[in-house]
Amino acid sequence: MTQPARSIADSHDMIEVRGARENNLASVSVDIPKRRLTVFTGVSGSGKSSLVFGTIAAESQRMINETYSAFLQSFMPSLSRPDVDSLRNLSAAIVVDQERMGANSRSTVGTATDAYAMLRIVFSRLGQPHVGPAGAFSFNLAEGMCPTCEGLGRVSDLDVDQLVDVERSLNDGAITVPNFAVDSWYWQSIVGSGLFDPDVKLQDFTAQQWRDFLHKPATKMKVGNHTITYEGLAVKVRRLYLSKDKEPTQPHIKAFVERAVTFATCGDCAGARLNRAALSARIAGRNIAECSAMQISDLAAFVRGIDDPSVAPLVANLRELLDSLVEIGLGYLSLDRESGSLSGGEAQRVKMVRHLGSSLTDVTYVFDEPTVGLHPHDIARMNGLLLRLRDKGNTVLVVEHKPETIAIADHVVDLGPGAGPDGGRICYAGDVAGLRRADCLTGRHLDHRARLRDRVRTPTGHLPIRGADLHNLRSVDVDVPLGVLTVVTGVAGSGKSSLIHGCLPRREGVVVVDQSPIRGSRRSNPATYTGLLDPVRAAFARANKVRPALFSANSEGACPKCRGIGVVYTDLAMMAGVASVCEECEGRRFTPQVLAYTLRGKNISEVLGMSVTEAQGFFPSGPARAVLDRLADVGLGYLGLGQPLTTLSGGERQRLKLAIHMGEKAHTYVLDEPTTGLHLADVDRLLALLDRLVDAGNTVVVIEHHQAVMAHADWIVDLGPGAGHDGGRIVFTGTPADLVAHGDTRTATHLREYVGR
């Protein structure tokens, strides 16, 4: 039988990139096979994200937006065309990234995956007594929410002891709230009301005076010839510091809010978020809140027991969704878990679930380090899911460092050879076998293995943890050794973070270096955040005999048009705001007068445009060089001094914080997955840095899944054996060599395989 002639349509089997120049890409041209799994590798800052996210995915999404009517486009963000000569054969791109899912306390795992919506419909049909439509089970709708907490499950209150010292009078400084000191404007507005004797101690106020002092709503009052507005102290504090649209940025205000605001479980709904009618309906003895609080793996079993034919198709879909969450390694979560509390890796996997059951094919899925937060045991499952997406006929593009995921690739594109200006070029493109033979950094390190220590360090003492029971921990007792490198490991959801973050940060001398967002605006950058800008400004001021303030983009030297940001943000009403380079300073952020001042031939804008490595050469000594050396030590040599902090990844944020803390006197460092975003070659540098911290007399505790860090440790604490209620126990403590020789945990199996024992 003759084969049908190959159609022209069959020839579009490569995404063709020609002349890509986004960020540091050096006019990159590359062909990427469609309907295959391609992994992009290279050191941090080599240009992987610029190629995959900034060029391919960005242009795909921009072109899709252009297919909509002008009216619909007016509601969409305005996307600029990537700097590339041509892109051919693109398909619709779906980006599955690690962006947190927002801190909205009304968003949960259940609402984000639609599992809770399905559960609401099931309860509206089968729940007894019958309550009503599905909306009656929604804590985000008035008909279903608890009226007391408005569907949040908790109520906030102010700790009055943190607002006042009742043993003092107003004249004696009884109010301890920031900005309410004696003779301040806010203090005068309270004393000037005439409601209280300012020389009487607060504890001697009458009941009515106490109510007025704390809780009187804003009231206009006649005082002499003037009319003033008086409001109680608690009312004013809520308005000034606790309103939803105001996020405190000053450290002392933030610290006060954290001290003064207390959250308590709502007494009416006991944290269930729903009103009594919704909670009265039950299926097989459980109400919807109890189902939402169950571990997803248990809820999946419960749903399998529902066999009413009236909801059979819906229950089948719900069962499939819950099984997918279990399969992707999130079975330890519950549907009522707030989305904002998920880690970046967990958030990415929740988003991934949405696409596993999709009927779409010939789509380009783009993943950013999908193995983040995954134990080697879980990485195998993640790899299976990536292959499933590919086998449905999709193009899967993955930015990744883990050799286990690189190994399953159909095609690998390696960028480099270095970072920043030293990167942005294709070092290798081909299959994995070819990568192993290639003379590139990734190829040389693909089979590199850290070795077990010949001799482990001896602890200088111990930090005892007793009866830890946060989340799924089962009254855990463990001693964390001092003066050594300890790695805390276990599968995702086993209780590692609950144990360490729940017990160690409150201890004296403990510094937690995590990946949480850095507070700051788009004006903040590594130079301002690390304090590097201060010695730089001082050096410019000395060289030019002018004031240091001139060299701050937040002060008098700033370009007046963009106010020192370098770009102008235009609000387009219904459309998303558009950022364009400031025409007056051409993105250099400073006035022409300031840019005329130079230091060794460079102006302040040119210095802020340098990478850390370039700046090390420019500042050979002094306090600026000390900060730059610490940034280079933590693997951020490629980072631009003036790069906005909002553009940094979680791993980069963590390493930036570590660089700052290394200049302080700490005793115990707690790091949470510091290998995130690190190339195989950079992991060795991280291990050397951890060694230097320990050898300088510090204790280092690392929550980590990377086998290289486990092998390099002096001591291992392994939690498990599983996740959720199958975890929360210490399953091994000892040296890595003991774990490899005698351990029978999942970690032991993978570490044994890693070190070749």
Side-chain angles (χ1 to χ4, degrees):
M1 193 170 112
T2 58
Q3 291 291 323
R6 182 173 164 85
S7 165
I8 293 175
D10 297 330
S11 65
H12 303 293
D13 52 6
M14 288 282 181
I15 297 174
E16 298 176 9
V17 182
R18 298 293 180 266
R21 290 176 296 276
E22 274 296 305
N23 299 323
N24 68 330
L25 295 179
S27 197
V28 162
S29 296
V30 65
D31 289 342
I32 300 161
K34 296 178 79 170
R35 294 171 290 281
R36 296 291 182 273
L37 171 60
T38 298
V39 175
F40 294 78
T41 60
V43 297
S44 299
S46 60
K48 305 182 297 296
S49 294
S50 297
L51 177 59
V52 179
F53 294 96
T55 304
I56 298 170
E59 179 64 357
S60 169
Q61 293 180 326
R62 186 188 73 85
M63 294 181 82
I64 288 171
N65 285 5
E66 283 190 347
T67 65
Y68 296 114
S69 68
F71 174 73
L72 285 177
Q73 284 185 53
S74 71
F75 295 97
M76 296 176 176
S78 179
L79 304 173
S80 58
R81 188 179 187 277
D83 189 1
V84 60
D85 289 339
S86 70
L87 281 168
R88 296 191 188 92
N89 305 332
L90 290 180
S91 56
I94 295 173
V95 174
V96 189
D97 60 20
Q98 291 178 39
E99 283 297 310
R100 298 289 179 104
M101 298 177 70
N104 185 342
S105 55
R106 295 190 174 278
S107 173
T108 64
V109 170
T111 60
T113 59
D114 287 338
Y116 189 69
M118 296 183 198
L119 201 58
R120 289 195 289 118
I121 297 171
V122 172
F123 267 85
S124 71
R125 304 272 179 81
L126 304 182
Q128 291 297 325
H130 179 72
V131 170
F137 295 93
S138 171
F139 48 79
N140 291 328
L141 297 176
E143 58 194 287
M145 68 173 58
C146 166
T148 304
C149 64
E150 297 183 336
L152 291 176
R154 61 179 186 267
V155 288
S156 63
D157 202 359
L158 283 170
D159 182 354
V160 176
D161 290 339
Q162 297 295 336
L163 307 185
V164 294
D165 181 349
V166 295
E167 294 183 356
R168 296 186 188 186
S169 67
L170 291 171
N171 276 340
D172 197 24
I175 303 176
T176 57
V177 179
N179 301 332
F180 281 76
V182 174
D183 289 330
S184 67
W185 173 255
Y186 293 147
W187 180 89
Q188 289 176 20
S189 71
I190 291 174
V191 173
S193 69
L195 292 171
F196 324 101
D197 183 338
D199 289 316
V200 170
K201 293 179 180 179
L202 268 55
Q203 65 188 14
D204 295 329
F205 277 11
T206 66
Q208 184 60 48
Q209 285 177 322
W210 185 246
R211 281 195 297 273
D212 287 346
F213 173 65
L214 283 178
H215 305 300
K216 192 177 184 71
T219 308
K220 290 196 180 302
M221 302 179 67
K222 192 87 170 169
V223 178
N225 295 323
H226 301 286
T227 300
I228 67 163
T229 298
Y230 172 84
E231 58 186 338
L233 177 64
V235 177
K236 190 182 286 285
V237 166
R238 281 195 178 91
R239 180 174 61 79
L240 290 174
Y241 300 140
L242 307 183
S243 59
K244 289 174 184 171
D245 57 341
K246 288 181 184 173
E247 185 73 43
T249 52
Q250 295 171 288
H252 70 293
I253 301 287
K254 185 170 180 288
F256 161 72
V257 169
E258 288 175 353
R259 280 197 320 271
V261 177
T262 59
F263 286 99
T265 300
C266 174
D268 276 6
C269 67
R273 298 175 174 240
L274 295 162
N275 59 33
R276 288 175 186 173
L279 295 175
S280 69
R282 294 180 177 271
I283 296 175
R286 295 185 185 272
N287 65 30
I288 193 168
E290 290 166 343
C291 289
S292 295
M294 292 169 75
Q295 191 165 298
I296 287 173
S297 56
D298 293 338
L299 179 59
F302 175 79
V303 169
R304 277 194 287 274
I306 300 173
D307 60 358
D308 192 297
S310 67
V311 289
L314 181 65
V315 168
N317 288 339
L318 176 57
R319 195 163 55 229
E320 190 176 332
L321 175 56
L322 295 173
D323 287 344
S324 293
L325 284 163
V326 173
E327 184 183 359
I328 209 167
L330 296 177
Y332 61 90
L333 297 179
S334 57
L335 295 188
D336 65 359
R337 172 83 174 262
E338 288 188 14
S339 303
S341 70
L342 300 177
S343 69
E346 286 170 335
Q348 186 177 37
R349 296 197 290 283
V350 166
K351 295 173 194 173
M352 191 177 182
V353 165
R354 298 175 186 166
H355 305 294
L356 286 172
S358 171
S359 299
L360 290 173
T361 186
D362 255 331
V363 170
T364 297
Y365 285 101
V366 185
F367 291 91
D368 184 10
E369 267 196 276
T371 62
V372 163
L374 290 183
H375 187 273
H377 169 78
D378 300 312
I379 291 176
R381 289 200 289 192
M382 172 59 73
N383 285 348
L385 295 169
L386 294 173
L387 293 171
R388 258 177 61 190
L389 281 174
R390 177 204 65 185
D391 293 343
K392 284 175 62 179
N394 298 303
T395 304
V396 182
L397 309 181
V398 182
V399 173
E400 187 54 83
H401 297 289
K402 292 282 174 65
E404 298 100 316
T405 299
I406 297 171
I408 66 162
D410 301 305
H411 191 74
V412 179
V413 176
D414 187 52
L415 283 98
D422 296 326
R425 295 184 286 281
I426 301 292
C427 297
Y428 172 80
D431 62 15
V432 178
L435 176 66
R436 283 196 162 90
R437 297 190 298 269
D439 185 24
C440 63
L441 200 60
T442 304
R444 291 195 295 272
H445 281 81
L446 197 56
D447 295 317
H448 169 69
R449 297 288 183 267
R451 289 178 26 247
L452 295 171
R453 287 182 177 277
D454 294 328
R455 285 189 13 245
V456 294
R457 302 176 183 95
T458 303
T460 56
H462 291 87
L463 271 177
I465 295 175
R466 295 290 178 265
D469 58 2
L470 184 64
H471 298 139
N472 68 328
L473 296 177
R474 304 194 177 193
S475 196
V476 167
D477 294 337
V478 67
D479 291 321
V480 178
L482 295 172
V484 302
L485 172 60
T486 297
V487 170
V488 181
T489 189
V491 297
S494 60
K496 304 179 298 297
S497 295
S498 299
L499 177 65
I500 300 304
H501 291 308
C503 300
L504 289 189
R506 296 186 296 276
R507 314 261 177 125
E508 187 181 351
V510 173
V511 169
V512 177
V513 190
D514 61 16
Q515 299 183 27
S516 60
I518 295 170
R519 285 202 178 276
S521 65
R522 48 196 175 211
R523 292 177 174 277
S524 303
N525 54 50
T528 60
Y529 185 69
T530 60
L532 172 66
L533 190 59
D534 294 334
V536 170
R537 287 165 51 204
F540 268 94
R542 279 195 305 273
N544 295 281
K545 296 182 172 55
V546 291
R547 296 183 308 283
L550 280 173
F551 303 99
S552 169
N554 297 329
S555 189
E556 55 189 285
C559 165
K561 182 167 185 186
C562 64
R563 301 201 298 278
I565 300 176
V567 293
V568 176
Y569 290 88
T570 309
D571 183 12
L572 299 179
M574 288 184 296
M575 288 175 69
V578 173
S580 52
V581 176
C582 175
E583 294 175 2
E584 194 156 316
C585 68
E586 297 178 329
R588 289 178 291 192
R589 306 175 67 188
F590 296 89
T591 63
Q593 294 88 335
V594 171
L595 294 174
Y597 297 120
T598 61
L599 175 67
R600 296 191 290 281
K602 300 280 188 186
N603 65 35
I604 183 68
S605 182
E606 290 169 328
V607 169
L608 290 175
M610 292 178 177
S611 68
V612 168
T613 304
E614 291 173 289
Q616 281 179 298
F618 190 75
F619 294 101
S621 60
R625 178 57 188 257
V627 176
L628 291 165
D629 285 349
R630 290 200 297 271
L631 287 167
D633 281 345
V634 298
L636 294 178
Y638 61 91
L639 213 60
L641 300 185
Q643 183 177 337
L645 293 186
T646 50
T647 64
L648 268 56
S649 69
E652 287 168 334
R653 290 192 296 259
Q654 183 178 36
R655 293 193 285 282
L656 184 60
K657 293 174 188 176
L658 180 58
I660 293 171
H661 289 305
M662 282 168 62
E664 302 170 353
K665 288 213 178 301
H667 308 298
T668 302
Y669 290 91
V670 175
L671 283 77
D672 200 339
E673 284 195 77
T675 60
T676 299
L678 281 186
H679 185 268
L680 297 162
D682 292 328
V683 172
D684 283 344
R685 291 181 62 182
L686 172 71
L687 296 178
L689 172 65
L690 298 180
D691 279 344
R692 284 207 303 279
L693 284 172
V694 174
D695 293 340
N698 298 296
T699 298
V700 178
V701 180
V702 181
I703 300 170
E704 188 56 84
H705 298 107
H706 202 298
Q707 297 101 316
V709 185
M710 295 182 207
H712 198 73
D714 298 299
W715 193 255
I716 284 185
V717 176
D718 192 15
L719 280 96
H725 59 50
D726 294 326
R729 296 187 288 271
I730 302 290
V731 291
F732 176 86
T733 57
T735 65
D738 287 343
L739 181 62
V740 167
H742 309 296
D744 60 354
T745 68
R746 289 172 177 173
T747 302
T749 302
H750 288 278
L751 187 59
R752 202 174 287 127
E753 185 181 322
Y754 175 84
V755 298
R757 297 288 176 87

